[in-house]
Amino acid sequence: MGELTITKHVEYIKSLDKRKDLETALTEHLRMSGAYWGLTSMDLMGHLSEMDKEAIMVWLFKCQHDSGGFSGNVDHDPHILYTLSAVQILALYDELDAIDKEKVAAYISGLQQEDGSFAGDEWGEVDTRFSYCAICCLSLLKRLDKINIRKAVEYIASCKNFDGGFGCNPGGESHAGQIFCCVGALAIAGALDLVDKDLLGWWLCERQVPSGGLNGRPEKLPDVCYSWWVLSSLVMIDRVHWINKDKLKQFILDCQDKEHGGISDRPEDAVDVFHTYFGVAGLSLLEYEGLRPIDPAYALPVDVVDRIFYS
Amino acid sequence: MPSSESDASMEQEEEEKGKHNEDEEDSDAHMDPKEEDDEEDDDEEEQEELQIKWVPLSKRPEWADIQPVSQDDGPYPVVPILYTAQFRETMDYFRAILALDERSPRALLLTEEAIRLNAGNYTVWHFRKLVLQALSYDLWEELKFIERIAKANYKNYQIWHHRRWTAENIGPAAMTTELQFTEEAFLKDAKNYHAWSHRQWVLRTYGGWEEELAFCDKLLHQDIYNNSAWNQRYFVIKNSPFLGGVGAMREHELNYCRDAIAVDSANESPWRYLKGLYKGDDEALPRSTTVPAIVLIELQKNKDCIYALDLLLELLCLGYEPSQELIGALGLQLDSCSAFQIATFVCTHLKEIDTMRMLYWDWRLNALSNASTS
């Protein structure tokens, strides 16, 4: 089996901040999530200290709005997606005390709808992704009491399908990304008893295709990002041993650019920070040697989560 | 997140597909926020067109009073390609009108230019909504604008969100156009997650259920492996006010599954759909005569059919007494088998043929033994 070329991936992530190409311009509105992916990857590989924390913090605070929410970049509107990314970055750096937690919590609780679901921002798009963002974020801030958690859980449960999976809204097709969000939110809320673990576990392990990679829905191609979404869900419901871990490990390693660093969706494709993060996080869940362990629900290194809740 | 991210907008592509539809491109909305799309060729064409026609905003008299606001990017140089220059200037003017909160006709045109360059920029879409409201703009025209933008961006979160907002503001009169809009999207990718989500919203909010089962049937005829269409079919039988619910439709749907399975018994979707017909009513499953008949037909064709063996295992666990014909199809002796022995045989066989999931079947085997001893 090949090896994870950590040194190359570290260099790749460090180079991202200096790029000024078209791709960078087109993704500038989601830079907060990009920063979270890059920084978490660096932390899992044990190289977080090589990033410029001070500059990142200055920029991050410029992205907070009067409402308490964070935007994807300076000059953009706040959104729950980027608010979670910002809080996760603060957690990585042990700087959660640097923000007004009540204000962030007020922003999030203001997005909860009558039926328990969450909107992504003031414009009202509702999706179980946002339920995860809200619950994960408030838990990290220790402010889960600011929302109606019972209704939030009921809404997620209403998105459960006949195959045991979850979709974005009630009736939406099961999709591994949405499943991660729903199972993650239920895990944090202490409501995993609402998951049909055996039925969902089989659906999830059926996502593994002969190449060893995982897809996100039946009849789709495998993609490294599902190494995180499927795998973390299986870990949370205690069924991860149902897949072939060695074959998955090999699939992820085959998606590396060993020369320039970074990981792609499938072997031989172009790398990006999103798939680099998912590849590294997936390998961490697979207990790859040399990587620090990641928490499957919070998507942060285990010691970061422990520091928040147990110190 | 990936979490969060996962969220982030899931867009990116997962392109494709599986073994079965090789000639089409399929991408999935998954969750990566990059919002790119598969239809790169279209994108390129569109961009070329834009570049040919583009007159820098700084050279247009109607923008002479605006001082563009550039983004602070530090000491690194901008890559000097035309597209990037256009992108930059457009965004500099956008930042300027955003700062001025100018909700004017020219601001609306500028958001259109910015969206054409990067349909993923959610801040531009947000501002466009404010301008549309301020101008009391004709939302039917806005639907047409979205259709033009969507052609190259069917997998973009922001477009679908904006479409939904526009249709919501128009009201029930938008039902037909919205159903048609999703059909356009399905022509490019019949598994487009956003489009299915939009379609379900239209049905729930404005109706249009009458033809929906036939629509699912049409898509399944085009691609029997389309799990999204199977999911929609379940959504319809469960929620349509005209069909009476899952229980009432069960026998009809079992026959539909039987025919789909006959095409390819390795197709995961109809088998899961079939089990879904008994969701919450497990006890009815072993009483069915149609279900064991489907299992028998498939095992007679192929005794290694994983989904047929799995369903047989499920039946046995629920107390189903197998016929001699079914036992024979497994290659077992007719007289010496208890239900437990048959289930153990099935499970052991599954473990041998589905090696990727060997440990799952091992767990099922253990669960059988535990159930028999307890």
Side-chain angles (χ1 to χ4, degrees):
Chain A
M1 184 173 292
E3 284 191 2
L4 183 68
T5 54
I6 289 183
T7 321
K8 296 283 185 188
H9 301 320
V10 166
E11 287 311 312
Y12 167 72
I13 291 169
K14 283 160 76 176
S15 75
L16 291 172
D17 202 33
K18 302 185 174 59
R19 284 171 52 179
K20 290 292 162 196
D21 56 9
L22 180 58
E23 187 189 333
T24 311
L26 290 176
T27 56
E28 55 109 10
H29 61 279
L30 55 94
R31 191 64 37 81
M32 189 66 76
S33 293
Y36 158 78
W37 296 322
L39 294 170
T40 307
S41 303
M42 290 295 271
D43 204 15
L44 292 173
M45 294 187 289
H47 288 262
L48 183 62
S49 62
E50 292 168 40
M51 303 301 275
D52 186 346
K53 175 180 171 181
E54 201 179 326
I56 292 165
M57 285 297 130
V58 169
W59 167 78
L60 182 142
F61 285 115
K62 277 198 218 164
C63 297
Q64 191 174 21
H65 294 249
D66 292 341
S67 61
F70 287 81
S71 49
N73 205 337
V74 179
D75 291 330
H76 283 274
D77 295 334
H79 195 285
I80 199 167
L81 290 169
Y82 309 117
T83 303
L84 173 60
S85 291
V87 166
Q88 286 172 314
I89 291 169
L90 290 164
L92 281 175
Y93 277 130
D94 198 11
E95 292 289 355
L96 284 173
D97 291 336
I99 45 166
D100 181 344
K101 295 179 187 170
E102 293 301 337
K103 208 171 165 185
V104 179
Y107 171 74
I108 293 171
S109 65
L111 294 171
Q112 189 169 28
Q113 311 294 299
E114 196 51 42
D115 62 1
S117 66
F118 283 84
D121 62 16
E122 59 177 311
W123 292 100
E125 181 184 12
V126 165
D127 188 315
T128 46
R129 290 180 301 144
F130 308 145
S131 297
Y132 170 79
C133 291
I135 290 173
C136 182
C137 199
L138 290 176
S139 175
L140 291 170
L141 298 172
K142 301 184 183 172
R143 295 290 187 284
L144 271 178
D145 58 317
K146 300 297 181 196
I147 55 169
N148 186 331
I149 193 76
R150 183 182 57 79
K151 278 192 149 190
V153 163
E154 281 172 4
Y155 181 77
I156 294 168
S158 75
C159 297
K160 186 163 70 173
N161 288 320
F162 62 86
D163 54 19
F166 294 84
C168 64
N169 301 122
E173 184 185 3
S174 295
H175 180 296
Q178 306 287 162
I179 290 170
F180 160 79
C181 292
C182 293
V183 173
L186 293 175
I188 292 169
L192 278 178
D193 55 305
L194 294 173
V195 178
D196 294 333
K197 293 179 187 156
D198 296 335
L199 185 62
L200 175 61
W202 189 45
W203 189 91
L204 288 168
C205 71
E206 281 272 306
R207 307 282 52 83
Q208 191 163 31
V209 301
S211 67
L214 300 163
N215 62 21
R217 292 187 275 169
E219 294 296 320
K220 293 291 221 170
L221 284 186
D223 183 318
V224 160
C225 69
Y226 296 112
S227 304
W228 169 259
W229 286 318
V230 172
L231 205 56
S232 58
S233 301
L234 281 167
V235 172
M236 288 187 275
I237 62 170
D238 201 19
R239 302 289 187 276
V240 74
H241 55 291
W242 287 358
I243 61 159
N244 187 321
K245 294 187 193 176
D246 285 340
K247 289 199 81 163
L248 176 58
K249 217 178 269 185
Q250 188 61 59
F251 176 80
I252 299 172
L253 292 171
D254 288 345
C255 293
Q256 303 180 91
D257 180 337
K258 291 191 173 176
E259 199 178 332
H260 305 102
I263 298 174
S264 57
D265 56 352
R266 283 182 282 283
E268 313 302 333
D269 281 357
V271 304
D272 59 55
V273 67
F274 175 77
H275 289 95
T276 302
Y277 162 77
F278 286 113
V280 171
L283 288 171
S284 166
L285 282 180
L286 291 166
E287 300 172 321
Y288 190 89
E289 198 179 340
L291 293 179
R292 301 168 66 216
I294 188 166
D295 183 279
Y298 290 98
L300 287 168
V302 167
D303 64 339
V304 169
V305 175
D306 286 350
R307 186 171 64 208
I308 293 167
F309 295 106
Y310 304 112
S311 67
Chain B
M1 134 165 246
S3 31
S4 60
E5 341 329 350
S6 82
D7 347 333
S9 12
M10 327 185 158
E11 273 212 19
Q12 180 157 316
E13 318 290 297
E14 149 186 329
E15 325 211 9
E16 8 223 304
K17 48 197 42 333
K19 35 189 177 177
H20 301 286
N21 330 318
E22 275 147 50
D23 40 324
E24 303 159 28
E25 210 162 311
D26 162 17
S27 72
D28 195 356
H30 59 50
M31 326 201 144
D32 135 27
K34 301 184 28 184
E35 315 182 354
E36 322 175 354
D37 108 52
D38 279 346
E39 282 93 36
E40 284 168 19
D41 293 347
D42 293 359
D43 259 352
E44 276 164 24
E45 263 170 42
E46 172 138 332
Q47 282 159 19
E48 252 168 47
E49 195 184 307
L50 278 169
Q51 287 171 12
I52 294 163
K53 292 182 189 159
W54 189 64
V55 176
L57 287 147
S58 55
K59 299 266 177 0
R60 299 184 212 173
E62 69 272 27
W63 287 100
D65 60 311
I66 294 292
Q67 182 62 44
V69 178
S70 43
Q71 190 166 38
D72 175 16
D73 355 88
Y76 309 106
V78 169
V79 176
I81 59 173
L82 176 61
Y83 181 75
T84 303
Q86 178 183 355
F87 182 85
R88 236 159 235 271
E89 183 168 319
T90 306
M91 292 313 296
D92 291 351
Y93 277 82
F94 174 74
R95 273 185 284 274
I97 57 152
L98 187 63
L100 294 167
D101 196 16
E102 182 188 304
R103 304 181 191 184
S104 64
R106 72 173 178 182
L108 191 66
L109 290 172
L110 186 62
T111 59
E112 173 165 348
E113 289 196 33
I115 285 165
R116 284 185 180 280
L117 292 169
N118 182 9
N121 188 322
Y122 67 97
T123 302
V124 178
W125 285 105
H126 285 180
F127 188 65
R128 185 174 175 87
K129 291 185 185 68
L130 293 174
V131 178
L132 290 169
Q133 284 173 332
L135 301 179
S136 300
Y137 192 76
D138 179 355
L139 295 178
W140 290 98
E141 286 302 313
E142 186 64 3
L143 291 183
K144 289 181 197 160
F145 163 71
I146 298 167
E147 278 151 32
R148 292 195 297 273
I149 295 293
K151 280 186 185 159
N153 293 281
Y154 274 120
K155 268 159 246 135
N156 172 297
Y157 271 86
Q158 281 70 34
I159 287 176
W160 287 98
H161 176 38
H162 190 69
R163 182 82 188 185
R164 164 88 171 257
W165 177 85
T166 308
E168 253 173 341
N169 280 283
I170 289 176
M175 180 186 91
T176 309
T177 55
E178 292 319 285
L179 292 176
Q180 280 168 355
F181 181 63
T182 62
E183 287 168 40
E184 288 293 313
F186 296 142
L187 291 177
K188 285 224 168 186
D189 175 8
K191 299 177 189 173
N192 184 318
Y193 201 88
H194 305 288
W196 283 111
S197 184
H198 191 71
R199 192 170 179 91
Q200 292 192 346
W201 170 76
V202 175
L203 290 165
R204 278 187 193 283
T205 315
Y206 299 146
W209 295 99
E210 296 84 344
E211 302 297 323
E212 195 61 10
L213 197 64
F215 179 71
C216 295
D217 185 47
K218 183 174 93 177
L219 288 199
L220 287 171
H221 260 95
Q222 289 164 4
D223 177 11
I224 196 73
Y225 302 96
N226 184 347
N227 193 62
S228 305
W230 282 101
N231 183 71
Q232 182 73 353
R233 194 172 175 96
Y234 198 86
F235 176 78
V236 175
I237 63 166
K238 188 176 169 192
N239 298 299
S240 167
F242 304 110
L243 298 176
V246 174
M249 290 294 288
R250 192 182 280 154
E251 207 56 35
H252 178 269
E253 293 305 285
L254 283 177
N255 290 329
Y256 196 82
C257 290
R258 180 197 58 213
D259 295 347
I261 288 166
V263 174
D264 180 1
S265 65
N267 182 2
E268 171 179 349
S269 300
W271 291 103
R272 288 196 191 280
Y273 183 89
L274 186 158
K275 279 191 176 183
L277 297 172
Y278 289 91
K279 185 86 184 152
D281 191 14
D282 280 354
E283 288 172 11
L285 186 59
R287 293 199 303 266
S288 164
T289 51
T290 316
V291 174
I294 295 172
V295 171
L296 177 63
I297 293 167
E298 295 309 324
L299 287 177
Q300 282 174 337
K301 281 196 264 180
N302 172 16
K303 68 180 176 51
D304 292 343
C305 176
I306 290 171
Y307 296 111
L309 289 166
D310 167 71
L311 187 53
L312 175 57
L313 186 59
E314 183 100 2
L315 284 166
L316 292 167
C317 290
L318 290 167
Y320 170 72
E321 298 281 342
S323 66
Q324 297 212 330
E325 216 178 356
L326 197 45
I327 296 170
L330 292 168
L332 293 174
Q333 296 297 323
L334 296 188
D335 43 359
S336 61
C337 294
S338 68
F340 171 71
Q341 283 170 319
I342 298 167
T344 304
F345 171 83
V346 169
C347 229
T348 308
H349 189 47
L350 279 162
K351 204 175 131 180
E352 287 162 6
I353 58 181
D354 188 15
T355 53
M356 187 78 89
R357 281 158 283 275
M358 188 174 72
L359 292 174
Y360 168 70
W361 298 116
D362 220 21
W363 171 80
R364 294 283 300 261
L365 193 57
N366 285 333
L368 276 182
S369 311
N370 293 341
S372 76
T373 54
S374 66

